[in-house]
Amino acid sequence: MPRVSILLTCYNHVKYLSACVEGVRRQTFRDFEIVAIDDGSKDGTREWLAQQPDIRCIFNAENLGTYETLNVGLRSTDGEFVAVLNDDDLWEPEKLSKQVQLLDAHPKVGLVHTGGTFIDGEGKQIEGNPLGFAFPRFETGDILLGLVYENKVIASAALARRSCFEQLGGFNREYFGSGDWEMWFRIAEQHEVGFVDEPLTHYRVHGANASHKLERIWRDDEKLRSWIAPRLESLDGRFPVSDVRKARAFNQAALGTVVTLNGKPAEGRRAYAASIGLNPTRWKTYARYAATFLPPSVFRKLL
């Protein structure tokens, strides 16, 4: 049994696939298996994968989506650790080695991720925040409240203990693009999260990224924020009360924004009002509450 099972998720990115796999082959840590799960590619990806002797291939009979594809990979592997790798991203050679070292040294850590960069379609580093946020990072420890504010674990940067998935279940297939965020949140509820502060993962930004499909992401965010809300109500013993209230307020404000974007301004106002009740000093929430009375196109421009 390999120590690391690499779940290489593939969908119509044959242009980037060779470079992605080459990054895996260059890993200094060698005790791994590569399992490619293709979700119905039509661009030659399946043919390319079938010619690689060191890759075990699973070809979905129908398009299952990102998270059920990952679940197929989880059910088909048995490595002690599980790495996710999207077929357009890249790893540096020390990536797995540094992560496994951290997990071996810290048994309370259930998941470890790395620093990294954003790259373009040609593999060149993109300066700034091309997706509207910096490359995610956390210090090792209890990051649960931090995950309320944003998803700070890029999927291709993550390595998790298989025991976490056995304990908590797999990814939620109902999500389009936020299922990894929900999974990391569930892991962080039960475990510490580790971080390797080195640029070992490179996230490729190009026109086909799922993160560009905003309306589906907004629906995902509404589902996620609604799911998070009740989970924050019993954390006062784990974190300072004031920190929990601020996190709850932020989550309600974020919920207010996405339900308004999803065409439900009355629900948005209720969520904003709940946020103000928890944290009346956050002036942005008042402004967005007022903006829910404006036409949707104007509300979007004000964000």
Side-chain angles (χ1 to χ4, degrees), residues 101-134:
Q101 288 175 27
L102 193 151
L103 285 165
D104 284 343
H106 299 278
K108 291 184 178 180
V109 170
L111 168 107
V112 58
H113 65 121
T114 78
T117 67
F118 297 108
I119 58 174
D120 64 17
E122 304 306 316
K124 298 177 181 178
Q125 183 173 340
I126 303 174
E127 301 298 333
N129 304 327
L131 298 177
F133 55 87

Side-chain angles (χ1 to χ4, degrees), residues 12-294:
N12 286 338
H13 287 150
V14 70
K15 175 181 178 181
Y16 309 118
L17 190 52
S18 177
C20 174
V21 171
E22 185 59 30
V24 177
R25 289 171 173 156
R26 292 169 55 223
Q27 292 298 299
T28 58
F29 180 87
R30 302 306 303 167
D31 191 5
F32 64 78
E33 62 175 340
I34 310 173
V35 179
I37 315 99
D38 182 82
D39 198 27
S41 293
K42 306 294 185 182
D43 66 344
T45 290
R46 292 190 169 197
E47 291 77 8
W48 188 91
L49 288 170
Q51 296 174 5
Q52 310 307 309
D54 56 343
I55 299 177
R56 178 157 62 93
C57 301
I58 300 172
F59 298 136
N60 293 345
E62 58 181 335
N63 184 267
L64 300 178
T66 299
Y67 301 110
E68 186 58 19
T69 294
L70 284 169
N71 288 336
V72 169
L74 285 172
R75 292 191 293 267
S76 304
T77 58
D78 55 9
E80 179 185 358
F81 305 123
V82 177
V84 176
L85 178 57
N86 295 327
D87 58 354
D88 48 351
D89 296 335
L90 299 176
W91 287 351
E92 291 294 326
E94 292 293 320
K95 194 257 188 189
L96 288 180
S97 176
K98 295 292 182 70
Q99 290 179 294
V100 171
Q101 288 175 27
L102 193 151
L103 285 165
D104 284 343
H106 299 278
K108 291 184 178 180
V109 170
L111 168 107
V112 58
H113 65 121
T114 78
T117 67
F118 297 108
I119 58 174
D120 64 17
E122 304 306 316
K124 298 177 181 178
Q125 183 173 340
I126 303 174
E127 301 298 333
N129 304 327
L131 298 177
F133 55 87
F135 198 96
R137 58 172 297 134
F138 274 124
E139 298 303 326
T140 297
D142 189 343
I143 71 165
L144 185 63
L145 281 191
L147 282 170
V148 175
Y149 294 92
E150 58 185 316
N151 180 11
K152 288 198 171 185
V153 181
I154 293 286
S156 290
L159 181 70
R161 298 184 192 275
R162 178 171 298 276
S163 58
C164 290
F165 300 107
E166 293 173 347
Q167 174 191 15
L168 302 170
F171 292 86
N172 186 337
R173 66 175 295 170
E174 300 302 317
Y175 284 96
F176 166 69
S178 298
D180 52 332
W181 191 349
E182 191 222 50
M183 186 73 248
W184 312 150
F185 195 95
R186 281 190 276 148
I187 290 175
E189 284 183 310
Q190 304 293 329
H191 304 274
E192 293 183 1
V193 172
F195 180 67
V196 178
D197 191 6
E198 298 180 38
L200 301 176
T201 303
H202 305 292
Y203 181 96
R204 196 182 297 273
V205 179
H206 53 82
N209 288 100
S211 54
H212 292 161
K213 299 171 183 176
L214 289 178
E215 291 186 2
R216 297 183 73 177
I217 292 295
W218 291 340
R219 291 195 292 271
D220 258 20
D221 283 351
E222 179 179 346
K223 183 187 307 180
L224 181 71
R225 293 295 177 184
S226 299
W227 175 82
I228 287 175
R231 306 175 89 88
L232 301 178
E233 295 176 0
S234 59
L235 295 179
D236 288 351
R238 179 169 172 178
F239 302 99
V241 173
S242 60
D243 290 350
V244 175
R245 284 181 67 87
K246 287 180 180 178
R248 291 176 62 198
F250 181 91
N251 190 67
Q252 286 296 322
L255 178 61
T257 298
V258 293
V259 296
T260 303
L261 289 169
N262 288 332
K264 296 174 283 188
E267 289 186 30
R269 287 190 283 275
R270 286 195 291 272
Y272 282 133
S275 176
I276 291 167
L278 289 162
N279 183 9
T281 65
R282 192 172 186 266
W283 298 110
K284 182 187 291 187
T285 308
Y286 293 93
R288 290 190 173 176
Y289 179 97
T292 62
F293 293 95
L294 300 173

